[in-house]
Amino acid sequence: MSSEPENLSSSTATTEESGEKISKKAAKKEAAKLEKLHRRQEQEEASRKIASHSIEEESFSRNYGDVTLNELQSTEDPKAGKWREAVEGKEWTDVSELVEAMAGTEVLIRGRVQTNRPVSSKLGFLIVRQRGFMVQCVVTESKENNVSVNMVKFLKQLSGESFVDVIGYVVLPKDPVTGTTQQVEIQVRKVYCVNSALQKLPLNVEDASRSEADIQAGKLGANQDTRLNNRVIDLRTPANQGIFCIQCWIQIGWRECLLLKGFIEIHSPKLLAGSSEGGSAVFRLDYKGQPACLAQSPQLHKQMAICGDFERVFEVGAVYRAEDSFTHRHLCEFIGLDVEMAIHKHYSEIMDIVSELFPFIFNKINENCQKELEAIRKQYPFEPLKFLPKTLILTFAEGIQMLKEAGVDADPLGDLNTETERKLGQLVLEKYNTEFYILHRYPSAVRPFYTMPCADDPNYSNSFDVFIRGEEIISGAQRVHDPELLTEQARRFGIDVETIKTYIDSFRYGAPPHGGFGVGLERVVMLFCGLNNIRKTSLFPRDPLRLAP
């Protein structure tokens, strides 16, 4: 019996140990359960935060990025993409219009990336250029304005010359902005890349914009061939933008003045059966099995228009010269500005038109193109053209006499070469204080076959040239309207009269006394702006060695 209590005690101890094991196991299980719950809660919290961040990032990311091709295909869908939504209902403002009075105004601008200057992960500067006008755009990370660090990062990777749309507010900077034309800044809210340029370009616009003084000071520039080989980039410089704006205003002034004087504009053919000027400097071609050439001028047809009773005509059109001239002022293709008019009794009536027309054009440029002239002058310094209210008119003989008095030998029956033209221009400037003048009564031997000889001396002709800064820009004259004299002179110049038969015959049907003049548009721009090469004033120049781009 004494052993029974011992067995009971042993059984009880075992039961207690088993309960203790069960309790520890349950506690461990409960702890594991709690740990799992905690981990799940942490994951849920992380997911919630990620979701919240994604929502926030989505609202930020719609404020920047590349514009999709679909959005740029003139789609009518205002929800085609984030750029399309951003610009919906807005109008673009030209960079040139951004002024201090617009401070606080939201604007949408489009332009090229001129320079891209990141400062930090939260701050960047972007200079946007449009047609030579530039404004600084500032991008600052701000949750309040939905500008994220990713937007700043997006701006950093934009390549120069890429097209961007920027939406932001015009602000007045604390300090004057250097390196831009506009003295305001834009605080960026949204920016989209409309079209990206290559990271490495064959020509840098900043290099192409350097003045000669900049290059001499050691800054990188670009030579003429590099510019012309990459003309589409070269044209973007502020100076080039100004040059072709002035070229446009010359045509505006030309048309405006002549229309007021009773002229009408015509367009003559550029494909001819025979040459219009004589000589060998013509581009010859096959015209459906017939020999033909490109017009050296509208000369023949503008005279025929006068015979058709238009009385006063002008033209703006392409002219072709196959001369192997490698000078600073010759091109194989240029834009000719031509005039032809009936005269009553003297060819001075034509010179009177010139005397009024060009000062009118010069004043038009000075009144409307000051910013453009300033942009040109910054890269290519020049003095404003000096001209008189009443244009100076000298005879050829008077010009020869001025040269002789200055010790320059010049043939009284020959033409002036480039050197003597410049010398005479210098003498005229010193004596008359003008860089624009007319020299008339040229020797007949140096004028085209259709030029009327002087009544008192056939060695001289009723013709004239006009000069700017010592270089010839215009040739003009009274024309031969007598068919027999015209035929005689054409033969003397070696022209096959059969190739110009319709031209000569037009004077057999009754023709008024008439005359006119022609001028190269590019040469006028070059000399007005004091430039050293006509290729600077031709959009895509054609010379003996250049047929592209």
Side-chain angles (χ1 to χ4, degrees):
M1 290 185 63
S2 60
S3 65
E4 289 181 3
E6 289 180 5
N7 291 339
L8 180 61
S9 175
S10 175
S11 175
T12 301
T14 301
T15 302
E16 286 176 355
E17 286 175 7
S18 175
E20 186 178 342
K21 285 180 181 179
I22 292 172
S23 178
K24 284 181 179 179
K25 194 174 183 180
K28 199 181 248 189
K29 188 175 181 182
E30 185 65 25
K33 195 174 184 182
L34 289 172
E35 178 64 23
K36 188 176 181 180
L37 177 62
H38 181 65
R39 282 201 305 269
R40 186 167 67 243
Q41 287 175 337
E42 284 183 337
Q43 288 172 352
E44 287 175 354
E45 177 64 16
S47 297
R48 186 189 65 77
K49 286 181 178 180
I50 291 171
S52 175
H53 178 70
S54 297
I55 294 171
E56 180 183 49
E57 190 55 39
E58 171 66 16
S59 67
F60 282 15
S61 66
R62 296 196 70 78
N63 294 335
Y64 65 92
D66 294 319
V67 182
T68 64
L69 180 60
N70 178 57
E71 292 177 274
L72 295 170
Q73 289 180 295
S74 301
T75 177
E76 299 292 335
D77 182 8
K79 295 186 180 298
K82 54 188 178 183
W83 166 81
R84 189 69 171 79
E85 291 179 14
V87 301
E88 182 67 21
K90 291 181 168 60
E91 291 187 3
W92 277 263
T93 300
D94 284 348
V95 170
S96 62
E97 297 173 356
L98 298 173
V99 293
E100 289 86 342
M102 297 179 68
T105 306
E106 185 185 59
V107 293
L108 163 62
I109 65 168
R110 175 173 292 178
R112 293 185 181 274
V113 175
Q114 171 76 7
T115 57
N116 188 351
R117 185 166 59 89
V119 176
S120 68
S121 62
K122 297 183 178 182
L123 176 65
F125 294 92
L126 195 71
I127 292 181
V128 174
R129 187 188 77 246
Q130 181 192 35
R131 297 199 311 272
F133 296 93
M134 292 172 279
V135 66
Q136 180 164 275
C137 303
V138 184
V139 187
T140 308
E141 187 269 339
S142 168
K143 290 184 179 180
E144 182 183 350
N145 297 319
N146 286 349
V147 176
S148 66
V149 291
N150 284 335
M151 182 193 286
V152 180
K153 185 177 179 180
F154 172 74
L155 258 70
K156 288 180 183 178
Q157 55 83 39
L158 289 174
S159 56
E161 298 304 298
S162 294
F163 264 107
V164 292
D165 275 354
V166 175
I167 299 174
Y169 287 88
V170 178
V171 297
L172 301 179
K174 294 179 180 178
D175 301 312
V177 182
T178 59
T180 66
T181 59
Q182 311 310 112
Q183 289 305 303
V184 296
E185 289 181 336
I186 294 180
Q187 286 289 344
V188 178
R189 294 294 182 266
K190 300 179 181 181
V191 60
Y192 304 95
C193 183
V194 178
N195 183 262
S196 60
L198 295 173
Q199 287 289 340
K200 186 172 179 57
L201 297 173
L203 176 65
N204 187 297
V205 174
E206 283 190 279
D207 294 342
S209 302
R210 306 280 191 211
S211 68
E212 191 62 36
D214 288 336
I215 296 170
Q216 289 178 356
K219 294 183 179 178
L220 192 62
N223 64 38
Q224 183 168 274
D225 281 340
T226 300
R227 293 169 182 272
L228 296 182
N229 290 340
N230 302 282
R231 188 62 160 162
V232 71
I233 300 177
D234 184 46
L235 289 172
R236 300 171 189 175
T237 68
N240 279 330
Q241 292 287 305
I243 286 169
F244 291 99
C245 180
I246 285 171
Q247 187 180 96
C248 174
W249 274 100
I250 287 173
Q251 294 175 80
I252 290 171
W254 172 271
R255 287 188 169 96
E256 184 180 333
C257 185
L258 292 174
L259 289 170
L260 288 172
K261 292 185 176 298
F263 287 78
I264 65 167
E265 185 169 5
I266 62 169
H267 299 285
S268 62
K270 305 307 171 196
L271 288 168
L272 304 179
S275 64
S276 49
E277 297 286 338
S280 60
V282 293
F283 287 106
R284 302 190 184 279
L285 54 95
D286 178 82
Y287 185 76
K288 304 294 184 181
Q290 303 176 62
C293 65
L294 295 177
Q296 294 166 289
S297 80
Q299 185 59 51
L300 309 187
H301 290 90
K302 67 178 182 175
Q303 284 186 255
M304 293 166 75
I306 299 302
C307 293
D309 283 352
F310 285 104
E311 289 197 353
R312 291 186 162 200
V313 300
F314 72 89
E315 179 168 358
V316 178
V319 173
Y320 303 92
R321 302 283 172 87
E323 297 172 303
D324 288 330
S325 297
F326 297 89
T327 74
H328 73 285
R329 64 177 187 171
H330 287 95
L331 292 170
C332 291
E333 179 184 5
F334 60 90
I335 300 302
L337 307 176
D338 278 85
V339 159
E340 203 71 18
M341 58 183 278
I343 60 178
H344 292 106
K345 62 179 183 179
H346 200 279
Y347 74 96
S348 60
E349 296 165 34
I350 311 166
M351 292 190 290
D352 290 341
I353 292 291
V354 175
S355 297
E356 295 179 43
L357 173 60
F358 280 86
F360 179 87
I361 292 172
F362 300 153
N363 287 323
K364 181 75 71 174
I365 295 170
N366 288 332
E367 290 167 5
N368 294 280
C369 303
Q370 281 306 307
K371 285 186 177 180
E372 289 76 12
L373 289 169
E374 183 181 337
I376 298 168
R377 196 174 285 117
K378 185 176 180 181
Q379 184 169 2
Y380 307 112
F382 70 95
E383 292 296 322
L385 180 70
K386 292 181 179 179
F387 60 97
L388 302 174
K390 181 174 175 58
T391 302
L392 174 69
I393 300 178
L394 301 171
T395 66
F396 185 83
E398 287 173 323
I400 294 294
Q401 185 60 35
M402 289 179 68
L403 288 167
K404 285 185 176 180
E405 291 174 358
V408 178
D409 187 30
D411 184 355
L413 294 179
D415 205 355
L416 300 178
N417 59 34
T418 301
E419 186 179 340
T420 52
E421 282 181 356
R422 287 179 175 168
K423 182 61 178 178
L424 183 57
Q426 178 188 334
L427 296 172
V428 168
L429 176 59
E430 291 171 357
K431 185 173 181 178
Y432 299 101
N433 196 35
T434 182
E435 295 175 291
F436 176 75
Y437 69 97
I438 299 174
L439 200 63
H440 74 112
R441 224 178 125 90
Y442 266 71
S444 296
V446 299
R447 307 306 282 196
F449 76 94
Y450 47 75
T451 305
M452 183 69 79
C454 286
D456 61 338
D457 186 349
N459 288 317
Y460 291 91
S461 60
N462 295 344
S463 63
F464 60 91
D465 277 358
V466 182
F467 297 84
I468 295 180
R469 300 188 197 269
E471 293 195 36
E472 176 257 318
I473 62 159
I474 295 175
S475 286
Q478 180 182 356
R479 318 303 186 188
V480 175
H481 63 280
D482 178 82
E484 305 311 321
L485 178 58
L486 191 59
T487 301
E488 178 188 329
Q489 295 203 163
R491 284 177 176 152
R492 191 166 69 249
F493 275 76
I495 296 173
D496 181 357
V497 294
E498 286 302 311
T499 64
I500 57 170
K501 185 177 184 300
T502 54
Y503 167 66
I504 294 175
D505 284 347
S506 66
F507 301 111
R508 301 186 190 280
Y509 313 140
H514 63 279
F517 57 89
V519 54
L521 174 61
E522 293 87 348
R523 194 174 290 187
V524 176
V525 180
M526 176 185 76
L527 294 171
F528 183 86
C529 296
L531 299 170
N532 63 2
N533 198 298
I534 199 167
R535 291 158 185 79
K536 287 183 170 72
T537 63
S538 176
L539 197 66
F540 294 98
R542 296 290 179 260
D543 61 28
L545 298 177
R546 184 169 291 280
L547 195 58

